[in-house]
Amino acid sequence: MASNSICTSCLRAASRSPCIKRTTFPRLQRSLPFSTTHAQRKQDPTPAPPPPPLPHIPKSQHDAITSFASTLRQSSALKAATEPYIAYGSTEDLFRECSRQCEYTVPARLASTPEEPPRTAAGEDLGEGQGWWYAAKSSGGLGLDATFNAWAQIMFLHMYVLTVRLRCFPAEHARVWHQQLVDHFFYAAEDRMVQWHAITMRGSRNKYLKDLWQQWRGVILSYDEGLVRGDAVLAAAVWRNVFKGEVEADVRDVALVTAYLRAQLKMLDELGDERIASGEVRFGDPNAVRKVVEQESVGMKRAFTAEELKAAQEGKNEGKEQK
Amino acid sequence: MSRHLNLAAHYTRLIARWPIDALRPENRQFQRLLENRLRATNETATVDGNDLSKQANAAYLLLDDVLSKRYPLSDKLMKPASRPTLYEELDQELQEGPRRGMMSYIWKRITGMVRRQ
């Protein structure tokens, strides 16, 4: 099948390249569907001559041109038209900062004869991740499996933080910026499906992308609900999304991620709009919020009432009887 | 009072106090996680009491909104310029939604198709 051969040759090209990260794909290709770009390249036997070098513009003239361009942008006629392009560039930097937190690769797919990678118990491809989120708990990380869904959930968390901040832009801008950020994510998700998970059929990819979209909308709703209703609800949302609602999850880890989420929201709250609009955002270290989560709570020290003790004793007896 | 009974009492109290989520199914409620810990307090042989105690502590911090107080968000974020009443409307919708009947749901869908700008 045509798309099969295109994607394996792309994988080979990616494996030959020393840098396996997103910079393999030039910025221009981002706006075109992945497979047709490569198809065009394959069919064209004589490559086009390289474009002539850009004329050298002395710095003083360059500043004049930049300030002229920004003056033009101020006019209301051009502002709406140029907004998406400005937003594209800055949201790409914001997206890259999100992506920096949770990079992972699936080395088995890079072998010269691509092999099936190890799988988790649920059947997902298991990769090797970099960063705090995937690092083992013994070395201070969170210990999540490096799977596509884990990557998506960590990205959703960071993108949600940016979304809340982008809502503070004026109404006509907020929508454009949010749209561009989400577009970056879905392009990257599709790239990732092709490059690391060998999902060569476009129909399968589309099905997963639609599912991912539903998850994104669900994430926004549940984290917004948590913002409005309090930490307990936010922690429940984090547990259902990042920790997949597993009953073996550690409550301290859930609390840690919740604290990190709120800390990033506060950090962005304190940044001005111009910093966000120029894409100069750096997320903090999750370990910095550990102290907040490890402090002693008031509830642990509060004495029990007679009813509570009775309920606990009954529960314990029931547990023993069931055994 | 035994250590395990103490822990069991903590988890029972946490389960009773944790807010009930009307929008999610039973198996996606946070109480299931706490019940799993409560059952673990009965496993006297293998349970790590210190570990369970720390988890109960974390759950109390979440219930008492310690994080919201430590990282308060300003009105700039909670009344965003693009839609100042967003979170209030969301709160209202989340409260009304689960209780809404079929006819109200249909009416809301129809009226929601046209938005006054």
Side-chain angles (χ1 to χ4, degrees):
Chain A
M1 188 162 100
S3 59
N4 256 332
S5 61
I6 289 166
C7 292
T8 42
S9 44
C10 288
L11 280 175
R12 258 186 269 123
S15 66
R16 273 201 295 267
S17 139
C19 170
I20 319 161
K21 293 186 196 256
R22 55 170 298 288
T23 47
T24 308
F25 307 106
R27 190 185 274 248
L28 196 59
Q29 280 185 324
R30 231 167 232 298
S31 53
L32 298 170
F34 189 87
S35 49
T36 55
T37 311
H38 203 80
Q40 285 162 7
R41 235 191 287 135
K42 269 188 92 173
Q43 283 156 21
D44 183 3
T46 53
L54 288 168
H56 173 66
I57 303 171
K59 196 164 188 317
S60 55
Q61 276 187 28
H62 190 262
D63 285 344
I65 289 169
T66 317
S67 63
F68 176 61
S70 57
T71 323
L72 266 186
R73 273 213 73 230
Q74 300 305 325
S75 77
S76 55
L78 283 181
K79 208 176 176 83
T82 53
E83 187 74 33
Y85 298 96
I86 308 294
Y88 179 90
S90 294
T91 49
E92 188 170 26
D93 291 333
L94 293 174
F95 172 75
R96 230 182 280 185
E97 176 57 19
C98 296
S99 195
R100 195 173 65 90
Q101 312 297 320
C102 51
E103 293 280 354
Y104 78 98
T105 60
V106 183
R109 302 226 190 258
L110 285 182
S112 48
T113 46
E115 323 159 333
E116 286 301 310
R119 297 264 153 83
T120 62
E124 299 170 285
D125 286 350
L126 187 61
E128 286 165 23
Q130 296 107 47
W132 178 82
W133 297 82
Y134 305 119
K137 286 183 94 165
S138 49
S139 47
L142 194 61
L144 293 179
D145 288 335
T147 61
F148 182 84
N149 284 317
W151 173 82
Q153 286 300 335
I154 302 166
M155 292 297 293
F156 283 159
L157 191 141
H158 290 90
M159 277 165 45
Y160 169 74
V161 169
L162 287 170
T163 301
V164 171
R165 183 60 183 84
L166 288 174
R167 285 175 185 154
C168 306
F169 283 12
E172 62 271 18
H173 300 302
R175 205 158 164 258
V176 169
W177 283 72
H178 180 230
Q179 184 71 53
Q180 294 288 343
L181 182 66
V182 171
D183 284 349
H184 282 299
F185 171 77
F186 281 98
Y187 282 132
E190 192 168 12
D191 280 349
R192 201 160 266 279
M193 279 187 224
V194 170
Q195 187 179 6
W196 297 113
H197 300 282
I199 302 174
T200 51
M201 293 200 291
R202 200 185 304 174
S204 298
R205 287 202 301 272
N206 285 344
K207 187 178 65 149
Y208 291 132
L209 286 172
K210 280 184 189 152
D211 196 40
L212 217 53
W213 171 249
Q214 295 289 332
Q215 284 182 36
W216 168 234
R217 299 298 296 185
V219 155
I220 299 180
L221 174 68
S222 40
Y223 290 169
D224 276 344
E225 187 190 4
L227 271 196
V228 163
R229 290 214 166 147
D231 293 346
V233 177
L234 187 59
V238 164
W239 172 64
R240 282 193 311 270
N241 289 305
V242 176
F243 294 91
K244 296 181 282 207
E246 290 167 340
V247 285
E248 297 86 24
D250 191 320
V251 182
R252 282 170 296 176
D253 291 339
V254 176
L256 184 58
V257 175
T258 314
Y260 171 75
L261 176 61
R262 279 207 76 102
Q264 300 318 299
L265 282 168
K266 181 156 171 50
M267 183 267 293
L268 285 186
D269 191 8
E270 287 160 1
L271 282 185
D273 277 358
E274 58 292 338
R275 283 283 300 273
I276 311 289
S278 59
E280 291 164 22
V281 166
R282 283 287 174 273
F283 289 114
D285 180 15
N287 279 318
V289 300
R290 253 186 219 278
K291 284 195 298 292
V292 179
V293 171
E294 285 170 358
Q295 64 179 292
E296 204 175 349
S297 66
V298 168
M300 281 304 270
K301 292 178 275 195
R302 205 177 292 142
F304 294 110
T305 63
E307 292 88 23
E308 282 169 347
L309 283 172
K310 201 168 142 215
Q313 188 65 57
E314 278 164 13
K316 210 161 139 50
N317 293 340
E318 264 177 42
K320 280 200 180 127
E321 274 163 35
Q322 273 168 12
K323 280 202 189 131
Chain B
M1 187 167 59
S2 81
R3 185 85 193 277
H4 296 293
L5 183 61
N6 197 1
L7 279 174
H10 275 305
Y11 279 105
T12 316
R13 188 202 270 171
L14 284 166
I15 292 167
R17 275 186 60 192
W18 202 272
I20 295 171
D21 192 344
L23 291 173
R24 276 91 191 179
E26 281 298 316
N27 64 339
R28 306 291 274 176
Q29 302 277 341
F30 197 80
Q31 285 84 339
R32 301 292 90 78
L33 177 63
L34 295 172
E35 280 163 12
N36 184 283
R37 292 308 108 87
L38 178 59
R39 277 192 294 275
T41 61
N42 282 332
E43 318 273 311
T44 49
T46 53
V47 73
D48 178 1
N50 196 24
D51 194 61
L52 282 176
S53 171
K54 287 182 182 163
Q55 291 192 44
N57 186 58
Y60 276 120
L61 289 174
L62 292 168
L63 265 181
D64 292 334
D65 280 340
V66 164
L67 301 176
S68 297
K69 289 167 197 152
R70 172 72 178 79
Y71 302 111
L73 301 175
S74 70
D75 269 356
K76 178 175 96 171
L77 223 58
M78 295 311 288
K79 291 185 173 33
S82 61
R83 202 164 154 194
T85 52
L86 172 72
Y87 295 106
E88 283 140 18
E89 288 168 18
L90 178 67
D91 194 18
Q92 201 176 358
E93 184 65 25
L94 287 168
Q95 280 172 21
E96 285 176 12
R99 292 192 303 247
R100 201 174 276 143
M102 178 60 105
M103 290 314 298
S104 316
Y105 166 74
I106 292 171
W107 181 246
K108 193 135 186 109
R109 283 292 291 265
I110 292 169
T111 54
M113 286 175 189
V114 179
R115 188 185 302 170
R116 278 177 290 127
Q117 235 12 57

